Amino acid sequence: MYNSKIIGLGHYVPENVVTNDDLSKVMETNDAWIQERTGIKERRHVVKGDGDTTTTMGVKAAKIAIERAGIDKDDIDFIVFATLSPDYYFPGPGVLVQRDLGIKTVGALDVRNQCSGFVYAISIADQYIKTGMYKNVLVIGSELHSHGLDMTTRGRGVSVIFGDGAGAAVLTREEDTTKGILSTHLHSEGQHAEELSLIAPGMGNRWVTDIMEDNDPNDESYYPHMNGQFVFKNAVVRFSEVIVEGLEKNKLNATDIDLLVPHQANLRISQFIQKKFQLSDDQVFNNIMKYGNTTAASIPIALTEAWEEGKVKSGDLVVLAAFGSGFTWGSVIIRW
Ligand code: UT7
């Protein structure tokens, strides 16, 4: 058995900055409400027609990660792509990355675990590397939310939160099993599936033709729905549980954490976790202020920025944790 370790990180966000004041011009909201409730100051939105998609952003992030990993694209043995906003209903973006990067015909897997998508994707990559089946795995989290949001007052509880962007990581084999990814922990609770969901179009529900036939101006089923307070309450509990689970598995304490990179759901959630584990500002990385919630892309974007800022050093204990739609949640414990 081997461990896996991250040897390259990259991120890409579209250039177009959308501030809270920009949003207040198209819906009833304001900078004070958004900052107070979420910590978000601005986010990036792809401008329609600019050519950026979930896949192209993922490819841009992946190219940086591969270059920093110091490997050739043809050394990649497997691709794992996490998103809730794929370019096509099918096929998923994994194969589009294989095509666009010109990688040989390796396997490409799409992960649909929303805000926990990157944590799930890392866990999958880790298992393949641990068993020796693959040596180098490319993991991408990318989202293009902005084209699918209800940008009216009706949708403000959701649409002010989400932003576009992508992050990527290259994982490789580590022979020293005291280093790299020490463990991953995944959970789900489908009982609350609809509390944070986008239910149409869906084959088991309403298909595109049904939506067109109904032509109902009050139809909200093709916009994301979030029971914000319920999600918030579950998030703080599950984030805490899954971090403790990861630490206990490795006989570690919260005081051992050098850097916690939480999924950027809401600054208030991160601050709650920080306080609960009595971590200093230096021990928790947040960038939701700049990018909003980028779902599967949020952890790899944050981890890349933390690494670029020198906040992730060899030997550090780095903890990734996520919670989101499904509900799904998980953590990754890394000895960098
Ligand atoms: O990443 C996946 C996991 N997602 C999360 O973890 C998100 C968890 N939830 C949250 O972050 C918060 O619940 C929100 C930020 C979504 C909402 O904050 P909240 O403090 O729970 O506000 P609320 O939904 O209870 O709304 C409070 C008030 C309402 O008005 P009334 O009924 O009190 O008159 C809303 O209509 O704020 C109103 N409101 C807004 N006002 C201005 C909702 N959205 C907005 C807005 N601007 N954008």
Side-chain angles (χ1 to χ4, degrees):
M1 288 284 274
Y2 305 102
N3 268 12
S4 70
K5 67 176 174 189
I6 295 173
I7 53 164
L9 287 162
H11 82 287
Y12 171 82
V13 289
E15 270 176 33
N16 179 38
V17 175
V18 177
T19 64
N20 294 341
D21 286 339
D22 292 333
L23 292 178
S24 70
K25 289 174 193 143
V26 294
M27 63 182 81
E28 281 174 38
T29 190
N30 58 77
D31 179 53
W33 190 96
I34 300 173
Q35 283 211 50
E36 189 192 315
R37 307 282 175 133
T38 71
I40 299 166
K41 294 182 177 176
E42 57 189 43
R43 72 287 293 141
R44 305 297 177 97
H45 282 180
V46 169
V47 175
K48 272 190 185 163
D50 266 9
D52 265 335
T53 68
T54 294
T55 300
T56 66
M57 291 192 289
V59 165
K60 286 173 186 171
K63 281 183 178 166
I64 298 167
I66 293 167
E67 197 194 325
R68 286 175 173 169
I71 64 166
D72 189 83
K73 64 179 171 55
D74 288 320
D75 296 329
I76 291 167
D77 302 310
F78 196 62
I79 300 163
V80 191
F81 199 122
T83 189
L84 64 67
S85 50
D87 295 12
Y88 305 143
Y89 195 85
F90 71 83
V95 298
L96 305 181
V97 167
Q98 179 273 329
R99 177 182 70 188
D100 292 358
L101 282 177
I103 296 177
K104 59 187 191 297
T105 58
V106 299
L109 178 74
D110 297 295
V111 170
R112 297 200 45 169
N113 290 84
Q114 299 70 246
C115 297
S116 310
F118 189 76
V119 164
Y120 269 73
I122 287 281
S123 180
I124 292 163
D126 179 51
Q127 306 314 306
Y128 278 127
I129 292 172
K130 268 195 164 74
T131 59
M133 181 160 172
Y134 297 129
K135 188 170 177 212
N136 299 312
V137 180
L138 172 63
V139 177
I140 299 172
S142 179
E143 304 286 0
L144 200 171
H145 287 303
S146 58
H147 295 175
L149 297 172
D150 180 359
M151 299 298 281
T152 68
T153 300
R154 183 179 68 175
R156 66 183 180 175
V158 172
S159 51
V160 301
I161 295 168
F162 292 97
D164 303 337
V170 174
L171 279 74
T172 196
R173 182 183 296 169
E174 167 62 64
E175 303 207 351
D176 180 348
T177 53
T178 65
K179 289 186 187 156
I181 293 176
L182 303 181
S183 63
T184 62
H185 307 270
L186 307 178
H187 294 277
S188 70
E189 191 176 24
Q191 189 187 340
H192 303 308
E194 286 79 19
E195 302 291 352
L196 177 46
S197 59
L198 200 167
I199 61 166
M203 297 294 184
N205 185 34
R206 298 174 69 233
W207 188 235
V208 183
T209 40
D210 300 315
I211 295 169
M212 287 165 69
E213 257 170 46
D214 292 352
N215 195 21
D216 175 3
N218 296 317
D219 187 2
E220 297 178 44
S221 65
Y222 47 84
Y223 289 123
H225 161 76
M226 178 165 70
N227 181 349
Q229 291 195 1
F230 185 72
V231 175
F232 192 104
K233 283 180 194 148
N234 279 267
V236 291
V237 172
R238 298 308 194 183
F239 263 108
S240 306
E241 278 178 9
V242 83
I243 292 169
V244 168
E245 182 184 347
L247 291 171
E248 283 181 352
K249 166 85 184 166
N250 294 286
K251 299 187 174 55
L252 295 163
N253 298 308
T255 48
D256 296 314
I257 297 175
D258 292 299
L259 191 69
L260 170 66
V261 181
H263 161 56
Q264 303 290 292
N266 183 320
L267 191 59
R268 288 193 294 143
I269 295 177
S270 293
Q271 287 166 342
F272 179 94
I273 304 301
Q274 175 174 347
K275 207 170 159 195
K276 184 176 166 74
F277 290 102
Q278 297 182 315
L279 302 173
S280 67
D281 288 351
D282 284 347
Q283 287 170 289
V284 185
F285 192 85
N286 289 305
N287 61 4
I288 190 169
M289 305 72 89
K290 294 190 291 181
Y291 303 128
N293 179 344
T294 57
T295 310
S298 94
I299 289 180
I301 293 173
L303 188 57
T304 302
E305 288 198 336
W307 178 82
E308 286 169 349
E309 291 173 25
K311 291 184 172 160
V312 183
K313 298 176 292 298
S314 178
D316 279 356
L317 186 77
V318 178
V319 175
L320 315 179
F323 173 88
S325 161
F327 292 153
T328 57
W329 62 101
S331 64
V332 180
I333 312 293
I334 308 171
R335 180 66 70 190
W336 206 268

